[in-house]
Amino acid sequence: MKCKLCSSKTKLFYIENKKSYFQCENCESICLDTQHFPSNKEELERYLEHNNNIEDKGYQNFVQPIVSSVLKNFTKKHIGLDYGCGPGPVISKLLKDKNYNITPFDPFFENKPEVLKRQYNYIICCEVIEHFHNP
């Protein structure tokens, strides 16, 4: 298997539940063997098990370091993308509450591919990078 990030050679890293994970010999990223990637239907079913309620104070506290970083490093004039915002775009809500210009995107819940054609000053990816099939 070639690395999904840099196309270099990989070696077997770990096996669990008959699923193989490979580590890149160049960039050291670890990827699941592509034959074990979930289908879109399986992935959506798994996402629907998450409880990311937009009003949940615990989840708001969990994402607060990301929100604080945006508030510290960018202004309201900057444009942001919340990539993989899920069914409850908590980060987008918290930033919009502060009058920040942020666009939510999610391939399942906010699937508006036209927003991916724009340029952004910052992109937030919270709890999604591990789901990328083709980074």
Side-chain angles (χ1 to χ4, degrees), residues 30-42:
I30 298 170
C31 295
L32 176 65
D33 188 334
T34 55
Q35 70 178 334
H36 298 294
F37 281 2
S39 67
N40 282 346
K41 181 179 184 253
E42 291 168 327

Side-chain angles (χ1 to χ4, degrees), residues 68-124:
S68 294
S69 180
V70 171
L71 296 175
K72 177 182 173 189
N73 294 294
F74 299 95
T75 70
K76 296 173 187 176
K77 293 179 183 176
H78 290 114
I79 300 169
L81 176 68
D82 184 359
Y83 188 97
C85 65
V90 176
I91 296 170
S92 290
K93 178 212 180 308
L94 294 174
L95 288 170
K96 285 180 180 183
D97 286 351
K98 302 274 188 192
N99 295 315
Y100 272 66
N101 185 354
I102 182 137
T103 300
F105 174 82
D106 189 284
F108 294 106
F109 306 104
E110 287 281 341
N111 193 359
K112 299 174 184 165
E114 64 275 8
V115 305
L116 300 178
K117 295 178 181 174
R118 300 182 201 144
Q119 290 197 351
Y120 297 91
N121 299 103
Y122 60 93
I123 299 173
I124 296 167

Side-chain angles (χ1 to χ4, degrees), residues 20-70:
S20 300
Y21 295 81
F22 292 86
Q23 184 171 31
C24 178
E25 293 180 356
N26 178 51
C27 73
E28 298 184 355
S29 69
I30 298 170
C31 295
L32 176 65
D33 188 334
T34 55
Q35 70 178 334
H36 298 294
F37 281 2
S39 67
N40 282 346
K41 181 179 184 253
E42 291 168 327
E43 205 163 11
L44 176 60
E45 287 171 355
R46 177 77 173 116
Y47 286 148
L48 292 173
E49 292 176 8
H50 295 184
N51 186 20
N52 296 353
N53 182 326
I54 202 163
E55 299 299 331
D56 181 332
K57 294 296 182 193
Y59 197 67
Q60 289 180 9
N61 289 336
F62 172 75
V63 301
Q64 192 57 48
I66 296 168
V67 173
S68 294
S69 180
V70 171

